[in-house]
C-alpha cells in the first residue's frame, strides 16, 4: 500500500503556503527536505524546557539535556543498524563527516604508494576532500568510471581496487543520476584488498532503508537536513575499532578526558570526535526526524520515491523536448531526476517553474566533473520526498509544456525590452574566428559558461566582438548587448565597465538576476586587462 500523503502533508505546514500566488510544489528535497511539526516541536520543547549544556552541569536541566542528547545518539545508531552509540558521531553535516574521516583517518594513515578510489559521480564534498588528501599525502587518487546509462563500471572498479588501495569512498545514491550504487559489492571488493570503505549516505539514508551491517560499511556519512531534520547536524557512523584508532580532528571541550600542561587524553567514543559544545537541540530534533521516518517505514519511503520517479520518467520518455540523465526508468533508481529541456537554460527553467510555485534545483549540483562527462553545463533536478504526489508531478509536467514559449514570455514580461531583443537577435553569437583575444568564464555556483571574443585593430579600436555561451538567456543577452554597444570603442574602455549594463538598462532588471548582468561585464573587463598587460 502506498503512503498516506494526505496525512503526511498535514505534518508539514509549509506545504500549505503559496509561492507566486500558486500553491507551493516543493521538489528540491535532494538539497533540503522540509521538517514536520513533530520535529520542530522537539526543538521547541528543548528550548522551552531544558536548554542547557551537556555533560558539564550538575543540575537538572543539564542532566535532562545530556540524557536526551545521548539517547539521540542511540536512536540514530539504531536507525542505520549500528551496534551502539559509540559508533555514532554527530557532526555539522555530511561534508564535515567525510572531512572527519579524511583528516582523522586519511591524513594519518595514507602515504605515497597508497591509493584512494572514488567515482566519477561523487559530490564535491567527497571528490574535493579526497583530492586534497591525495595531494597532502602523495596517495594516488583513482576514479571508477560512470557508464553511459549512469551506473558504475564495475569491471573498472575491479581493475582499480587493488592491494594499494587503503580507502574507497562512494556515494550510495548519486545526487544527480539517482543511481543506487552496489555498495555491498564494493565493500567486499575493498575488504578483500585490505582497505576500508566510506559510504556517502547523504542521498540514501533519508530515502531508503540503510543498514551498515548488511552493507558492511566501515564509515557512513549523512545529513539531518535531507531527512526531515534540522540543518546544522549530520552524522558519521564508524566501526568501533576504526573510530578507536582514529585521531580527533578538532580539539577542546567535550572531546577532552584529562589535560596537563604536558599532555592531554581524549574522551570516550563518540564524544572524542565532538569537540566544543555540540549541536544539542539539533541532535535531539534529528532523532525525532529518524523516529518520524521510522513510523512511516523506510521501505515505504523508498517505494514511494521510486514510484514517483518512475511516473515522472515515463512521462519524460513520452516527450522529445526533454533529456534526462541516469538509469532508464526500468532500472531501480532513487526519487530524483535531473534533466534539461531543449533550448531552455536551466536557470531560466527554474525561474519559470518558480513562477508556477514549483521549487526545483538548477545548476551543477556540486558535481562539476560529472557534468563535464555528461557534456552539459548544468541540469535541472526534481527530487521527491514523502509528501510529494503524482498531482504535483503533473503540475511540473504542465509547466514544462511549452517551456520555450514560457521562456520567451518570461523574458518579455520580466526583463527590460532590450534584454528580450538581444536574446532573440544576438550579436555574433557564434564568436569570432579571428579574435585578438578571448576570455573564458565559468560561474561555479550555477554552471553558466561562456567565452568573449574581441578583435582589435592596430589603433586599439574594437573592430568586432562576439561570444559563445552555454549560459542562461539573460547572460547571453547581456553579452550580446555589450558586444553591440562596445564595438567601435577603444580597448581601454573595456577595462572599466562597472555599471555599463545597468546604465543601458536604466537599472531595470530583477535583483535575482544581478549576477547574470554584472558577470559578463566582469569577464570582459578581466579579459581586456590581461590583454593590455600582455601587449
Ligand atoms: N553528498 C551528496 C551525495 C549530497 O547530495 C550532498 C548534498 N547535496 C552532500 C554530500 C553534502 O551534504 P551537506 O551539504 O549536507 O554536507
Amino acid at each position: 500500500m502506498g503512503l498516506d500523503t494526505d496525512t503526511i502533508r498535514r505534518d508539514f505546514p509549509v506545504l500549505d503556503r503559496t509561492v507566486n500566488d500558486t500553491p507551493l510544489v516543493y521538489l528540491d528535497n535532494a538539497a533540503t527536505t522540509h521538517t514536520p511539526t513533530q520535529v520542530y516541536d522537539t526543538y521547541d520543547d528543548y528550548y522551552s524546557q531544558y536548554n542547557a549544556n551537556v555533560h558539564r552541569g550538575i543540575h537538572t536541566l543539564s542532566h535532562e539535556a545530556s540524557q536526551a542528547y545521548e539517547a539521540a545518539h542511540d536512536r540514530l545508531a539504531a536507525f542505520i543498524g549500528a551496534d551502539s552509540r559509540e559508533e555514532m558521531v554527530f557532526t555539522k553535516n555530511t561534508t564535515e563527516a567525510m572531512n572527519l574521516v579524511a583528516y582523522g583517518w586519511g591524513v594519518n594513515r595514507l602515504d605515497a604508494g597508497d591509493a584512494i578510489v572514488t567515482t566519477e559521480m561523487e559530490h564535491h564534498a567527497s571528490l574535493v576532500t579526497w583530492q586534497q588528501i591525495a595531494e597532502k599525502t602523495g596517495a594516488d587518487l583513482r576514479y571508477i568510471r560512470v557508464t553511459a546509462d549512469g551506473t558504475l563500471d564495475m569491471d573498472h572498479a575491479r581493475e582499480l581496487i587493488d592491494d594499494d588501495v587503503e580507502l574507497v569512498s562512494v556515494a550510495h545514491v548519486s545526487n544527480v543520476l539517482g543511481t543506487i550504487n552496489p555498495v555491498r559489492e564494493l565493500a567486499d571488493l575493498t575488504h578483500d584488498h585490505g582497505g576500508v570503505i566510506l559510504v556517502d549516505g547523504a542521498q540514501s539514508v533519508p530515502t531508503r532503508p540503510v543498514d551498515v551491517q548488511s552493507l558492511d560499511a566501515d564509515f557512513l556519512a549523512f545529513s539531518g537536513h535531507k531527512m526531515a531534520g534540522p540543518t546544522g547536524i549530520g552524522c558519521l557512523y564508524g566501526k568501533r575499532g576504526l573510530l578507536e584508532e582514529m585521531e580527533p580532528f578538532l580539539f577542546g571541550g567535550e572531546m577532552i578526558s584529562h589535560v596537563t600542561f604536558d599532555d592531554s587524553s581524549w574522551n570516550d567514543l563518540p564524544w572524542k570526535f565532538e569537540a566544543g559544545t555540540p549541536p544539542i537541540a539539533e541532535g535531539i530534533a534529528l532523532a525525532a526526524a529518524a523516529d518520524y521516518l521510522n513510523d512511516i517505514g523506510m521501505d515505504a519511503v523508498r517505494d514511494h520515491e521510486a514510484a514517483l520517479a518512475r511516473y515522472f520518467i515515463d512521462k519524460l520518455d513520452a516527450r522529445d523536448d526533454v533529456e534526462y540523465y541516469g538509469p532508464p526508468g526500468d532500472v531501480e533508481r532513487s526519487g530524483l531526476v535531473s534533466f534539461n529541456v531543449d533550448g531552455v537554460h536551466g536557470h531560466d527553467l527554474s525561474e519559470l517553474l518558480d513562477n508556477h510555485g514549483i521549487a526545483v534545483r538548477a545548476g551543477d549540483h556540486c558535481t562539476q566533473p560529472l557534468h563535464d562527462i555528461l557534456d552539459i553545463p548544468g541540469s535541472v533536478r526534481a527530487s521527491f520526498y514523502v509528501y510529494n504526489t503524482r498531482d504535483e508531478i503533473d503540475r511540473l509536467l504542465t509547466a514544462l509544456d511549452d517551456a520555450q514559449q514560457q521562456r520567451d514570455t518570461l523574458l518579455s514580461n520580466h526583463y527590460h525590452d532590450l534584454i528580450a531583443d538581444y536574446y532573440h537577435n544576438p550579436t555574433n553569437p557564434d564568436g569570432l574566428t579571428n579574435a585578438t583575444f578571448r576570455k573564458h568564464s565559468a560561474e561555479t555556483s550555477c554552471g553558466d559558461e561562456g567565452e568573449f571574443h574581441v578583435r582589435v585593430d592596430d589603433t586599439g579600436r574594437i573592430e568586432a566582438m562576439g561570444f559563445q555561451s552555454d549560459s542562461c538567456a539573460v547572460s547571453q543577452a547581456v553579452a550580446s548587448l555589450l558586444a553591440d554597444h562596445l564595438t567601435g570603442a577603444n580597448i581601454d574602455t573595456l577595462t572599466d565597465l562597472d555599471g555599463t549594463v545597468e546604465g543601458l538598462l536604466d537599472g531595470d532588471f530583477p535583483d535575482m538576476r544581478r549576477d547574470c548582468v554584472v558577470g559578463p561585464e566582469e569577464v570582459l573587463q578581466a579579459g581586456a586587462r590581461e590583454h593590455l598587460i600582455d601587449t
Side-chain angles (χ1 to χ4, degrees):
M1 207 186 78
L3 290 192
D4 179 0
T5 43
D6 284 346
T7 306
I8 288 175
R9 288 178 75 84
R10 282 198 282 277
D11 295 331
F12 295 84
V14 68
L15 299 176
D16 291 335
R17 68 163 284 182
T18 57
V19 167
N20 291 320
D21 299 327
T22 41
L24 168 69
V25 173
Y26 187 81
L27 302 178
D28 192 18
N29 296 289
T32 290
T33 53
H34 282 292
T35 312
T37 44
Q38 288 85 337
V39 171
Y40 55 79
D41 282 353
T42 316
Y43 216 81
D44 214 52
D45 188 43
Y46 169 78
Y47 279 112
S48 62
Q49 296 301 318
Y50 60 100
N51 173 29
N53 215 317
V54 290
H55 298 152
R56 288 179 207 181
I58 318 291
H59 60 79
T60 300
L61 265 56
S62 174
H63 183 62
E64 287 176 11
S66 302
Q67 273 192 332
Y69 187 63
E70 287 172 14
H73 285 71
D74 294 338
R75 281 143 73 199
L76 265 308
F79 188 67
I80 49 123
D83 278 337
S84 67
R85 86 163 60 134
E86 282 76 12
E87 297 184 324
M88 178 52 60
V89 178
F90 284 178
T91 61
K92 190 169 65 181
N93 46 35
T94 303
T95 307
E96 189 180 278
M98 290 199 286
N99 273 270
L100 174 52
V101 178
Y103 286 90
W105 185 89
V107 164
N108 300 310
R109 176 80 187 223
L110 296 164
D111 271 316
D114 293 334
I116 303 164
V117 171
T118 186
T119 83
E120 290 179 340
M121 65 170 82
E122 296 308 300
H123 189 278
H124 295 163
S126 145
L127 195 149
V128 176
T129 303
W130 295 114
Q131 260 176 5
Q132 291 294 311
I133 299 303
E135 207 170 283
K136 277 189 202 333
T137 60
D140 185 26
L141 180 59
R142 306 172 182 170
Y143 297 98
I144 303 171
R145 269 193 302 263
V146 176
T147 63
D149 70 0
T151 57
L152 285 182
D153 179 342
M154 288 304 286
D155 288 336
H156 194 220
R158 279 182 279 276
E159 258 170 57
L160 294 188
I161 301 176
D162 59 22
D163 287 346
D164 292 337
V165 171
E166 292 288 325
L167 180 109
V168 172
S169 178
V170 62
H172 193 175
V173 168
S174 159
N175 65 317
V176 173
L177 304 169
T179 315
I180 299 151
N181 286 320
V183 167
R184 178 61 200 237
E185 202 179 330
L186 286 165
D188 289 346
L189 206 52
T190 308
H191 295 146
D192 286 348
H193 290 279
V196 301
I197 185 163
L198 162 64
V199 180
D200 172 354
Q203 298 295 344
S204 62
V205 173
T207 57
R208 55 200 303 104
V210 172
D211 176 42
V212 287
Q213 314 291 345
S214 54
L215 292 178
D216 203 6
D218 297 296
F219 295 108
L220 172 78
F222 57 101
S223 295
H225 67 98
K226 294 182 196 288
M227 52 179 283
T231 54
I233 175 114
C235 299
L236 177 69
Y237 156 81
K239 282 184 183 160
R240 191 178 181 134
L242 284 168
L243 291 180
E244 271 163 0
E245 270 169 31
M246 198 163 109
E247 288 299 312
F249 126 86
L250 294 170
F251 297 89
E254 176 83 351
M255 55 79 64
I256 298 291
S257 168
H258 187 68
V259 180
T260 68
F261 283 118
D262 297 322
D263 209 356
S264 306
S265 59
W266 315 140
N267 203 343
D268 296 333
L269 289 175
W271 325 120
K272 168 181 156 187
F273 295 109
E274 296 189 10
T277 297
I280 305 165
E282 290 77 8
I284 294 168
L286 179 55
D291 293 349
Y292 182 82
L293 292 173
N294 268 335
D295 284 348
I296 294 175
M298 290 310 291
D299 287 327
V301 174
R302 174 200 54 209
D303 294 348
H304 179 71
E305 294 231 343
L308 289 180
R310 179 165 305 226
Y311 179 74
F312 185 46
I313 283 179
D314 283 348
K315 300 280 183 185
L316 294 185
D317 277 336
R319 41 197 307 162
D320 53 15
D321 62 336
V322 176
E323 185 182 16
Y324 67 88
Y325 311 100
D330 53 351
V331 174
E332 193 200 356
R333 50 183 290 160
S334 185
L336 63 90
V337 184
S338 302
F339 60 95
N340 275 308
V341 176
D342 281 352
V344 187
H345 193 278
H347 296 172
D348 298 320
L349 185 58
S350 177
E351 188 175 346
L352 71 87
L353 292 177
D354 189 57
N355 289 340
H356 291 260
I358 302 170
V360 293
R361 177 97 187 253
D364 59 40
H365 316 298
C366 298
T367 56
Q368 287 174 19
L370 176 63
H371 277 78
D372 288 344
I373 292 173
L374 295 170
D375 200 19
I376 47 172
S379 53
V380 174
R381 181 181 68 193
S383 50
F384 314 118
Y385 210 42
V386 290
Y387 34 70
N388 290 123
T389 63
R390 285 183 180 211
D391 287 349
E392 290 182 309
I393 293 179
D394 288 339
R395 265 186 63 194
L396 169 62
L397 289 159
T398 307
L400 290 183
D401 288 339
D402 303 323
Q404 282 92 342
Q405 188 208 318
Q406 288 180 51
R407 179 210 48 213
D408 291 350
T409 315
L410 174 89
L411 276 176
S412 51
N413 287 351
H414 282 242
Y415 298 109
H416 202 287
D417 289 346
L418 263 182
I419 295 270
D421 282 354
Y422 272 101
Y423 179 72
H424 289 296
N425 304 297
T427 309
N428 296 330
D430 297 324
L432 304 177
T433 45
N434 50 355
T436 315
F437 69 89
R438 292 157 193 255
K439 180 69 184 171
H440 182 261
S441 75
E443 184 59 59
T444 49
S445 58
C446 59
D448 271 2
E449 206 164 349
E451 189 170 79
F452 270 108
H453 298 173
V454 182
R455 192 164 69 236
V456 187
D457 71 14
D458 292 345
T459 67
R461 181 180 163 278
I462 296 165
E463 277 183 352
M465 257 172 70
F467 63 95
Q468 284 174 330
S469 178
D470 276 329
S471 306
C472 66
V474 178
S475 286
Q476 290 190 39
V478 167
S480 191
L481 171 66
L482 281 169
D484 214 23
H485 176 69
L486 294 165
T487 299
N490 188 280
I491 175 77
D492 289 338
T493 321
L494 301 197
T495 61
D496 184 15
L497 290 176
D498 290 348
T500 305
V501 177
E502 204 168 341
L504 289 168
L505 300 178
D506 300 323
D508 181 17
F509 58 88
D511 257 3
M512 68 185 287
R513 286 303 179 92
R514 200 185 162 78
D515 288 351
C516 313
V517 170
V518 175
E521 271 177 8
E522 287 174 351
V523 175
L524 195 50
Q525 205 156 265
R529 285 184 186 142
E530 283 163 19
H531 168 70
L532 287 172
I533 289 169
D534 286 350
T535 50

